[in-house]
Amino acid sequence: MGGFFGAVSRRDCVLDVFFGVDYHSHLGTRRGGMAALSESTGFIREIHNIENSPFRTKFEHVLDEMHGKACIGCISDTDPQPILIRSDLGVYAICVTGIINNADELAAMYLKNSGGHFEAMGGGRVNSTELAAALIDSKDNFADGILYAQEMIEGTASVLILSDDGSIYAARDKMGRLPVVTGRGEDGICVSLESFACTKLGYPELRELGPGEVVRITADDIEVLSPPKEEMRFCAFMWTYYGYPTSSYEGVNVEVMRNRNGEILAQNDRASGSADDVDYVSGVPDSGTPHAIGYSNESKTAFARPFIKYTPTWPRSFMPANQSERNRVAKMKMIPVHELIEGKKLLFVDDSIVRGTQLRETVEFLYENGAEEVHMRSASPPIMYGCKFLNFSRSNSEMELITRRTIIDLEGEEGLKHIDEYSDGNTERGRAMRKAICEKFNFTSLEYQSLDGLIRSIGIDRCKVCTYCWNGKE
Amino acid sequence: MGGFFGAVSRRDCVLDVFFGVDYHSHLGTRRGGMAALSESTGFIREIHNIENSPFRTKFEHVLDEMHGKACIGCISDTDPQPILIRSDLGVYAICVTGIINNADELAAMYLKNSGGHFEAMGGGRVNSTELAAALIDSKDNFADGILYAQEMIEGTASVLILSDDGSIYAARDKMGRLPVVTGRGEDGICVSLESFACTKLGYPELRELGPGEVVRITADDIEVLSPPKEEMRFCAFMWTYYGYPTSSYEGVNVEVMRNRNGEILAQNDRASGSADDVDYVSGVPDSGTPHAIGYSNESKTAFARPFIKYTPTWPRSFMPANQSERNRVAKMKMIPVHELIEGKKLLFVDDSIVRGTQLRETVEFLYENGAEEVHMRSASPPIMYGCKFLNFSRSNSEMELITRRTIIDLEGEEGLKHIDEYSDGNTERGRAMRKAICEKFNFTSLEYQSLDGLIRSIGIDRCKVCTYCWNGKE
Amino acid sequence: MGGFFGAVSRRDCVLDVFFGVDYHSHLGTRRGGMAALSESTGFIREIHNIENSPFRTKFEHVLDEMHGKACIGCISDTDPQPILIRSDLGVYAICVTGIINNADELAAMYLKNSGGHFEAMGGGRVNSTELAAALIDSKDNFADGILYAQEMIEGTASVLILSDDGSIYAARDKMGRLPVVTGRGEDGICVSLESFACTKLGYPELRELGPGEVVRITADDIEVLSPPKEEMRFCAFMWTYYGYPTSSYEGVNVEVMRNRNGEILAQNDRASGSADDVDYVSGVPDSGTPHAIGYSNESKTAFARPFIKYTPTWPRSFMPANQSERNRVAKMKMIPVHELIEGKKLLFVDDSIVRGTQLRETVEFLYENGAEEVHMRSASPPIMYGCKFLNFSRSNSEMELITRRTIIDLEGEEGLKHIDEYSDGNTERGRAMRKAICEKFNFTSLEYQSLDGLIRSIGIDRCKVCTYCWNGKE
Amino acid sequence: MGGFFGAVSRRDCVLDVFFGVDYHSHLGTRRGGMAALSESTGFIREIHNIENSPFRTKFEHVLDEMHGKACIGCISDTDPQPILIRSDLGVYAICVTGIINNADELAAMYLKNSGGHFEAMGGGRVNSTELAAALIDSKDNFADGILYAQEMIEGTASVLILSDDGSIYAARDKMGRLPVVTGRGEDGICVSLESFACTKLGYPELRELGPGEVVRITADDIEVLSPPKEEMRFCAFMWTYYGYPTSSYEGVNVEVMRNRNGEILAQNDRASGSADDVDYVSGVPDSGTPHAIGYSNESKTAFARPFIKYTPTWPRSFMPANQSERNRVAKMKMIPVHELIEGKKLLFVDDSIVRGTQLRETVEFLYENGAEEVHMRSASPPIMYGCKFLNFSRSNSEMELITRRTIIDLEGEEGLKHIDEYSDGNTERGRAMRKAICEKFNFTSLEYQSLDGLIRSIGIDRCKVCTYCWNGKE
């Protein structure tokens, strides 16, 4: 998915941006980039592959060369960014976070209607950030250009532009699916996807941009160029899975939301009397952990870590060429504490259940190591639809979803007509699906958070949260 | 400190050793190394600096070039290892974990008495592993050589040797301060410092070497060349701080010991009625966390993470040249969750209190963020002596210890004569010191685990545990 | 300056292009680039800095990754090339050799008139190859686009385009200042700046493009899209200095031209009776050598190498930061053979005399080593004007030219009105200038090749040769 | 083969050694190394592979890190050098140039007799420089140790040692097969294999060491520790092929010797009336060139370069995996000037004829390009024996020599009994062999320099020159 961070200051702020971008490393694994505007040398830009080496390692040396009082950067899971553009709007650096589903159509339309061109990438593909820039350039100023680009783009596009007058233009995507927040400090102002990056870097006075809001940032001020739109569809997964626990979105802290979510799961279990004698409550690391802490605290059941990830080394999977070796590597990170598994009744909380592949391996392993019972709790309702707004349901296609596969098993293609019913755990179909999944994975019990429970954990207006992957509502 | 892993197998086992060494990455930050014996090309060896890039990144390519049915490797915080030696004992690769306090004397003695030489490193220093090899070579076989080397070395030396007949010689240091464990699998046998590396890599049948035990390992068998010695002084910090939670030493799992340690701390607090109304119990990450989980479970007080480390990027500190930037970087990893701090009464468990520098910053930060109370619990007794066996009290000198500095403050140099009293929390002096530290750091309350409590958490015979850093007993 | 090479073949021709580009390494020191069109993966492109490592070293690995039956590449002293473009003309790779003097105006004009943009480079500059591409894109096909771009560009632009149908478009600059030649072999057709690259790589059937000629090349055929123009201004320095001795331009081989040029110098000296008792004739390496061979053969005076360049290591100067060290490095390449200098009467031939800095050092050194006489012969007339077509008079400004500086010394700014006279060695002013330079450098004698002599050495129609730097005629 | 350079100075001399070692790049293609002794940090050492990147590129960065008033370095075609040793003789850096034919026996003997060990290299091999160091260490001081090592070593060993008192010990091999020269400058003293490196780097006062001479060098003085030995066997190939033209050995400059050698060849041809109407005299680059210049000057026949090497890129062959591509690469460097070949009668001088493989390709190519006649002259007598002193006859075995293969063709194994006769061009067998080779290669004529002629070209006492490869005399 990716994220960005930028700053304008009365002093050199490249180091701030170095750390600010680094704080988005959990959001992407492919590329990092930074661009600064120096008074002496103009724009300077660097992009590095971060697939086998973390952002810091690749960008440390940049601090020797890059200087400036205005700087932006990003972690990108798609194309190399930021890119430098020279157009009627001047010279500027730009990064875009999100997804452009109609890139091919937009590129073709652009080439047909304008006299312009793209610098192609390997294979001839157009860099999606250059595509967004081309759309922005077709208007007379950045604000109009960004609004036009967001209008044309099917998908989601938050934009960060470092202009040649030293100001930064920032725009949150039009539906507010992702956060964009500004922070004001003593020497200047920053803009970030993750809020904690602002406070942590000395820009503590926070202000969240509204959906589609466009601002221009200088060291002194934030000027609103286009006001926020009414409608919002904030991605609920930012709280349950993607966001860093220390961030807050729409005023709601991620860790606190997850704790609360676990509490609700525990209350539900208490109400229904299920899993009332487990030995330990545990989270599937890392995102399941705070949900489990909430469950443990609420249920007064001991929290434990029967599984620990080996984190000292770089968490991104190194992938050997040989398939049997690849299988070994996949199982390499999660390490059991046998004493906390053998003969124990365990309740695990995971953030969600998508394809179930990794979960199956985990559960099998627990039983192999002597677990007596394995109760599973999903911190989200069953996922029924693949995300088309942010591309992050982590399944390549809807048919890889364990829910849909189970429905097909239960009653064939016909079942897909009753998705609504299946996603409601209180209907017969809902119960049947849950039971089938529970048996398929050999869980002792399985419960999902309800959509209501989830919304309650978040605590903001239901209509402001995107629930598409659960109920298909846009 | 460092650690090592080796394997002999009926199949190529270089990938096992790659992962096995990687699983010791938490024990060192400077260098990694691997050596294999290939039937076709003989010994092949690689060493890389891992200060700014993790072991995996630096050694991935090794898998293309290195092959063999016998392989060893290590993480080293000291000199480059493993080294290849050719001597009367043949050609062999060797790594040594521990510390040689009398290296200069041994090198001088060797050069005086033998006809030999060392390949010097930059500055003219002798690689401590080559020094150990030189001592080993002075005897007729590896077992006698290792025993001789361990006898001569003041400090600690666990040894791993890959010999040119394809077998591995492994020796645990003579006092058993560090663990060495073998694992037997379907295709062969491995040897490791951390036990979980064996089970995780398919060598599940474990057997811990005793102190000073020397064995010869082939794919089929483990031959004892020198039996274990009686006496043992296992380093207690392996459980409380250094060891990975998933490892077990002397049959005692690290995570479980830490949980139990936290439980005892909670029982003590309950008995004394202190800190009975805190909102959250938390651990100073990473090693404090399992102690805190135990405390929370026992005290039925909610566990929370008011502080979270930013782990996606490489945890080793990147260090800018500029001092003010260095200070910023030091504070960059720990990120607060304001909602879990402001107005809260917090109880934090840390593994130990050494110099107190980092702790002071943490506590100040909690108060700045609105914490109402900050209770501190140390999972170990007050550290009074710098380690001379493994070099890991994490202070450069005894006078940097917060305990000794506080004693000096209280009654000058005279106080150092009463160290014994000071380390007993039930004496007047012990209470005075704790009170002084508590006030110095502005803790709401401070309690240390007692030595008895600690020994109880570990659960093995007291005389088998090294308690030097607490009571100066060797 | 730079150069390019491309090939279309019925077999993979990436290796041909690798060597073909490498054969242009003498024409540039900054960057190399290659782009291929693979049937399976589409366009693939690589650019590397070659300032401290030769083209081969930097591109060897490319041969593992890059495959295709159509490929182009270049050595560039300016911007990174080739670049990939996607426009109305499809996806294509492009490189341009030459210079665009009105780049800023063209970029501004383009941005004003089109709806397009550029991907800017560091500092915000537009890549001159992308600029050329933008101009080309403004027409409906490559041929029209290239002709339009060449028309708009002030300067010189030879163009190589690899289109997405697998054909190559090649265009020689409109005035034919630089050569472009095609070669036909058994499996396909190549295009090159240096002719020897074609023959050497198995494309022996040569055909030189005329000025401004545009062709489309497939593996089978060369289609003329725009015929050659009448007028030509071939850069004479390609023969005397820049070109590789094994190349031929307009049918005239470089080595042979240089030999002939030296012969004429010798004939002139014989006619005037000057330097008739020198011990050795020598060339200032590398370009002076073949001129000197011709002189030696004609004059029957022994040829010798009193100076030899140290060529085993990379010829590009490594530059230390410290100025005094830089001065040393500058003198490091030329190594004397004392026996061939001391007490000897030496005649040296250099390709031309530009600023005179290096020559002064050489001559001083010869006298220091005991040379009795040092006669200097320049294989070209005195340079009076800085090149504005190819940017290669090797002086940053006209006022750095030794001729102009000498004229100012002789009669002040006034003298610059008589440049014509000064450049004719038979006028009084011409003689005065030569005498002044001769004394300034302490030459025993100094002679320049005359413009007539030079044209005779080349042997093609005078009006087809650019003589601007000597007589200011465009 | 390799070479070395060292310096001791009253100022930092690392840059001198950087250039000094670089000036030996023509002597080796595998590894470069440098070691300096800094007052602040002690010994610092770096070794790099130079197979695909020249010495300068790999060592430029060393200048930032390495400092000191005493420094040594080398180009090595064998093992990594210099190595650092710590022994009874202190800490020192050492490089050795030459060959140790009995390395295995010496290593085994050392391990048997001493209490020492070697740090083995990949495969378990002992670094030959560490082996030499071990031999040196067995005596009480460097001088005795070096003499002992040279005595024990079968082969050739010139030694350079940088000791921890900041002085350099230098020793020429015992038979003086290779040169070692010291140079004295204003600030200090250097030592080098190639003499021109001294003069060029500001150490102009030269003094050649005698065979087996051992000296100790400080910034002020050269102390003779062991005087030169009487006997000398200087390798004649240093003049004809290996040495750099600007060097002098035993007072005889390489370029001048080669010129003279060519003159004698011309005189012989004139005397015998052969090749009296050739168009051009040319050298097979690079070593053949100065021989050919001498021939041309003496015969008054025009010198020309019908063949030119492409030198701008790194001269070491890049080797593709594919055999047919390898064959192409081998022919890639030599580029013809067709105008100087077609219809011409050419006389080529090569330094020697060893296996004949490359020569055959060259000659075939000349005929293919239309040469009318190709006369070949070898600047050395026919090579009959493989070198066992310096390992550089450039054939892997004696049976690859074109001479021996021709003899076998002529009369079978029997012929090898008459090697003496064959090597004398005036005997019947000598004439038969020359005729056979001439026909085999399709030369128009073939002549070898005689041993007498060669000795005359060198101009020193015949018994001081090693002529083993021609007549088998040691």
Side-chain angles (χ1 to χ4, degrees), chain A residues 16 22-23 25-26 52 57 200-201 244 255 297 303 305 309-310 312-314 328 331-332 334, chain B residues 16 22-23 25-26 52 57 200-201 244 255 297 303 305 309-310 312-314 328 331-332 334:
Chain A
D16 294 12
D22 187 52
Y23 278 146
S25 296
H26 57 287
N52 68 343
T57 303
K200 196 67 199 169
L201 290 163
Y244 209 73
E255 179 83 359
N297 288 341
F303 178 73
R305 307 192 299 178
K309 253 178 149 175
Y310 193 71
T313 52
W314 187 233
R328 289 185 68 193
K331 300 180 182 172
M332 222 93 243
M334 308 282 280
Chain B
D16 294 12
D22 187 52
Y23 278 147
S25 296
H26 57 288
N52 68 344
T57 302
K200 196 67 199 169
L201 290 163
Y244 208 73
E255 180 81 0
N297 288 340
F303 178 73
R305 307 191 300 177
K309 253 177 149 174
Y310 193 71
T313 52
W314 188 232
R328 289 185 69 192
K331 300 180 183 172
M332 221 92 242
M334 308 283 280

Side-chain angles (χ1 to χ4, degrees), chain D residues 1 28 72 168 185 210 219 261 274 283 334 343 352 355 360 470:
Chain D
M1 157 165 144
I72 65 173
I168 288 179
N261 195 51
S274 62
M334 307 282 279
S352 58
R355 290 184 303 162
R360 177 190 302 276
W470 298 304

Side-chain angles (χ1 to χ4, degrees), chain D residues 56-304:
Chain D
R56 282 192 179 204
T57 303
K58 288 294 184 73
F59 279 83
E60 270 176 33
H61 73 279
V62 166
L63 301 174
D64 296 332
E65 302 151 22
M66 205 180 266
H67 299 286
K69 295 178 177 170
C71 183
I72 65 173
C74 65
I75 297 291
S76 171
D77 254 358
T78 56
D79 300 330
Q81 304 188 57
I83 56 173
L84 297 183
I85 293 290
R86 181 160 159 186
S87 77
D88 254 12
L89 298 174
V91 179
Y92 60 92
I94 175 170
C95 18
V96 176
T97 294
I99 186 173
I100 305 182
N101 289 321
N102 59 336
D104 282 351
E105 296 84 335
L106 288 176
M109 180 200 79
Y110 173 80
L111 291 179
K112 198 174 155 211
N113 296 342
S114 82
H117 65 273
F118 296 105
E119 241 196 57
M121 299 188 301
R125 266 203 342 110
V126 174
N127 183 308
S128 59
T129 300
E130 185 175 353
L131 176 57
L135 297 173
I136 291 168
D137 287 333
S138 60
K139 298 294 168 187
D140 288 342
N141 58 63
F142 286 120
D144 289 351
I146 290 169
L147 291 171
Y148 171 69
Q150 289 185 332
E151 186 191 315
M152 299 303 290
I153 288 168
E154 288 173 17
T156 299
S158 290
V159 178
L160 207 56
I161 286 173
L162 171 56
S163 82
D164 54 13
D165 67 0
S167 66
I168 288 179
Y169 291 81
R172 188 170 167 190
D173 69 277
K174 66 186 170 196
M175 296 303 286
R177 294 184 199 280
L178 294 176
V180 173
V181 61
T182 58
R184 186 188 289 263
E186 273 178 36
D187 296 320
I189 295 174
C190 76
V191 54
S192 180
L193 191 146
E194 291 287 24
S195 64
F196 76 88
C198 304
T199 35
K200 196 67 198 168
L201 289 163
Y203 301 84
E205 205 178 309
L206 302 185
R207 173 190 175 305
E208 280 188 87
L209 266 58
E213 186 173 357
V214 183
V215 298
R216 177 170 174 271
I217 302 170
T218 62
D220 302 307
D221 217 358
I222 302 168
E223 180 189 358
V224 176
L225 302 179
S226 181
K229 297 182 200 301
E230 277 299 300
E231 258 190 308
M232 186 195 292
R233 292 286 183 279
F234 204 109
C235 170
F237 265 103
M238 286 300 295
W239 281 289
T240 57
Y241 173 72
Y242 271 97
Y244 208 73
T246 51
S247 270
S248 293
Y249 314 126
E250 302 297 322
V252 180
N253 171 267
V254 170
E255 179 82 359
V256 170
M257 178 276 173
R258 290 178 189 174
N259 289 172
R260 194 154 52 213
N261 195 51
E263 287 162 28
I264 295 173
L265 282 169
Q267 288 157 7
N268 293 347
D269 276 357
R270 190 191 307 134
S272 67
S274 62
D276 57 358
D277 65 341
V278 300
D279 293 304
Y280 299 123
V281 170
S282 308
V284 176
D286 290 337
S287 50
T289 297
H291 298 286
I293 289 172
Y295 191 108
S296 159
N297 288 340
E298 175 70 21
S299 65
K300 304 285 178 195
T301 312
F303 178 73

Side-chain angles (χ1 to χ4, degrees), chain D residues 5 18 53 94 119 160 168 170 211 219 281 301 308 355 389 402 406 454:
Chain D
F5 188 91
F18 169 78
S53 212
I94 175 170
E119 241 196 57
L160 207 56
I168 288 179
V281 170
T301 312
I308 299 175
R355 290 184 303 162
F389 305 110
I402 184 67
T406 303
L454 183 82

Side-chain angles (χ1 to χ4, degrees), chain A residues 83-126:
Chain A
I83 57 173
L84 297 183
I85 294 289
R86 180 160 159 187
S87 77
D88 254 11
L89 298 175
V91 179
Y92 60 92
I94 176 170
C95 17
V96 176
T97 294
I99 185 172
I100 304 181
N101 289 322
N102 59 336
D104 282 351
E105 296 83 338
L106 288 176
M109 181 200 78
Y110 173 79
L111 291 179
K112 199 177 154 207
N113 297 342
S114 83
H117 65 274
F118 296 105
E119 241 196 58
M121 300 188 301
R125 266 202 342 109
V126 173

Side-chain angles (χ1 to χ4, degrees), chain A residues 39 46 119 126 192 213 222 293 330 385 395 417 431 465:
Chain A
E39 278 162 33
E46 286 230 21
E119 241 196 58
V126 173
S192 180
E213 186 173 356
I222 301 169
I293 288 172
Y385 299 88
S395 70
K417 295 179 186 161
R431 275 188 298 270
V465 177

Side-chain angles (χ1 to χ4, degrees), chain C residues 157-354:
Chain C
S158 290
V159 178
L160 207 56
I161 285 172
L162 171 56
S163 83
D164 54 13
D165 69 0
S167 65
I168 287 179
Y169 292 80
R172 187 170 168 190
D173 68 278
K174 65 185 172 197
M175 295 302 286
R177 295 183 198 280
L178 295 176
V180 174
V181 60
T182 58
R184 186 188 288 264
E186 272 179 36
D187 296 320
I189 295 174
C190 76
V191 53
S192 181
L193 190 148
E194 290 286 25
S195 64
F196 76 89
C198 305
T199 35
K200 196 67 199 170
L201 290 164
Y203 301 86
E205 205 178 309
L206 301 185
R207 172 190 175 305
E208 281 188 87
L209 266 58
E213 185 172 358
V214 183
V215 298
R216 177 171 175 273
I217 302 169
T218 63
D220 302 308
D221 217 358
I222 301 169
E223 181 189 356
V224 176
L225 302 180
S226 182
K229 298 183 199 303
E230 278 299 300
E231 257 189 307
M232 185 193 295
R233 293 288 181 277
F234 203 108
C235 170
F237 266 103
M238 286 300 294
W239 280 291
T240 57
Y241 173 73
Y242 271 97
Y244 208 74
T246 52
S247 269
S248 293
Y249 315 126
E250 301 299 321
V252 180
N253 171 266
V254 170
E255 180 83 359
V256 169
M257 179 276 173
R258 290 179 188 174
N259 289 172
R260 197 155 48 213
N261 195 50
E263 287 162 26
I264 294 173
L265 282 169
Q267 289 157 6
N268 293 346
D269 276 356
R270 191 191 306 133
S272 66
S274 61
D276 56 358
D277 65 340
V278 299
D279 293 304
Y280 300 123
V281 170
S282 308
V284 176
D286 290 339
S287 50
T289 297
H291 298 286
I293 289 172
Y295 191 109
S296 160
N297 288 340
E298 176 68 20
S299 66
K300 303 286 178 195
T301 312
F303 177 73
R305 307 192 298 179
F307 258 89
I308 298 175
K309 253 178 149 175
Y310 193 71
T311 53
T313 53
W314 188 232
R316 288 157 201 187
S317 296
F318 145 68
M319 276 299 126
N322 180 296
Q323 182 60 36
S324 73
E325 290 179 358
R326 290 165 77 100
N327 293 344
R328 289 185 69 192
V329 173
K331 300 181 182 173
M332 221 93 243
K333 272 192 238 164
M334 307 281 281
I335 306 169
V337 178
H338 298 286
E339 287 80 350
L340 299 177
I341 299 177
E342 197 167 351
K344 304 298 184 194
K345 298 175 181 168
L346 304 170
L347 184 145
F348 267 88
V349 190
D350 203 353
D351 59 88
S352 58
I353 299 180
V354 187

